Amino acid sequence: MINTLTSLLQAASISLSDQQKQQLVAYVGLLDKWNKAYNLTSVRDPQQMLVRHILDSIVVAPHLTGSRFIDVGTGPGLPGIPLAIVMPDAHFTLLDSLGKRVRFLRQVQHELGLTNIEPVQSRVEAFPAEPPFDGVISRAFASLTDMVNWCHHLPGAEGRFFALKGVRPDDEIAALPAGYVSQVVKLNVPRLEGDRHLVIIGREQACG
């Protein structure tokens, strides 16, 4: 599986250390093992997980700004765990409301020795951001308007929302509340069918 991951990384022009590659593959192994009992993801094939979960997560790393992030509705740790592995100097809070997912995240944290993640079981509306975060990340979590409304208390004044999306969500962008501006980055995910986009949202005064 390391060879498959290496070729995917080369195709995406991403350079990682051997240890980072081993951690990503070990994470896929744990996801595959726990998935049989906990139904954490609909993707069953570990080779497909490399494309649809690992690569799909880490291609956004160059576009993230700041060092403290929260991954809301992280599920089994996507994109937060792959990002934490490739961005060891940043810290990721992994937020999910389901206990079985958070138990899995703690197991991953223990087995991979990840010191820069903090799994938390909470609903996003009830989670206090103290201190506030540089970035709020979500993948397949909600509409952009819901993300901004539910998570408005999480980023600092200069903070950003980073939403991982499939097709370019122009209707959602048009429906954003007043006072927010967005930019859209088209992502390149080798061997993945369909479009991928990153929507970066900030408050107007912070981006102006």
Side-chain angles (χ1 to χ4, degrees):
M1 199 181 295
I2 282 275
N3 292 339
T4 304
L5 177 61
T6 299
S7 65
L8 287 168
L9 293 170
Q10 286 172 344
S13 302
I14 297 172
S15 177
L16 296 179
S17 69
D18 288 343
Q19 182 190 8
Q20 286 170 315
K21 291 178 194 175
Q22 286 161 1
Q23 285 179 314
L24 289 169
V25 167
Y27 169 59
V28 168
L30 285 168
L31 191 52
D32 180 47
K33 176 181 164 187
W34 278 61
N35 205 32
K36 294 173 175 65
Y38 282 80
N39 199 27
L40 297 168
T41 169
S42 61
V43 181
R44 300 291 176 197
D45 176 11
Q47 298 285 339
Q48 278 297 305
M49 288 179 186
L50 288 175
V51 177
R52 294 169 62 183
H53 288 337
I54 302 301
L55 210 61
D56 196 36
S57 295
I58 65 177
V59 291
V60 305
H63 307 288
L64 301 181
T65 49
S67 60
R68 291 186 70 254
F69 300 95
I70 181 166
D71 178 9
V72 292
T74 187
L78 297 164
I81 284 178
L83 286 171
I85 290 171
V86 303
M87 299 173 63
D89 294 332
H91 186 273
F92 293 83
T93 296
L94 308 178
L95 195 71
D96 203 274
S97 59
L98 270 187
K100 68 177 183 180
R101 293 176 184 155
V102 174
R103 282 194 294 278
F104 170 70
L105 296 173
R106 290 190 178 125
Q107 187 66 26
V108 171
Q109 180 181 30
H110 172 70
E111 293 206 20
L112 300 190
L114 293 177
T115 57
N116 63 331
I117 65 170
E118 182 185 359
V120 176
Q121 183 180 352
S122 172
R123 293 185 62 79
V124 64
E125 308 93 303
F127 185 71
E130 293 165 2
F133 293 93
D134 299 321
V136 180
I137 304 171
S138 81
R139 179 177 185 255
F141 168 64
S143 72
L144 296 177
T145 296
D146 284 346
M147 182 184 181
V148 167
N149 286 339
W150 296 342
C151 307
H152 65 90
H153 61 296
L154 297 175
E158 302 290 320
R160 300 278 191 277
F161 295 92
F162 299 93
L164 284 70
K165 293 284 186 177
V167 293
R168 184 184 168 107
D170 288 321
D171 290 350
E172 291 185 28
I173 291 168
L176 276 169
Y180 288 94
V181 292
S182 64
Q183 67 180 102
V184 182
V185 180
K186 188 167 174 42
L187 300 169
N188 170 39
V189 186
R191 296 192 213 169
L192 186 73
E193 292 179 14
D195 289 346
R196 284 292 183 272
H197 292 87
L198 174 67
V199 184
I200 304 172
I201 302 167
R203 295 182 177 90
E204 272 181 351
Q205 67 272 23
C207 300

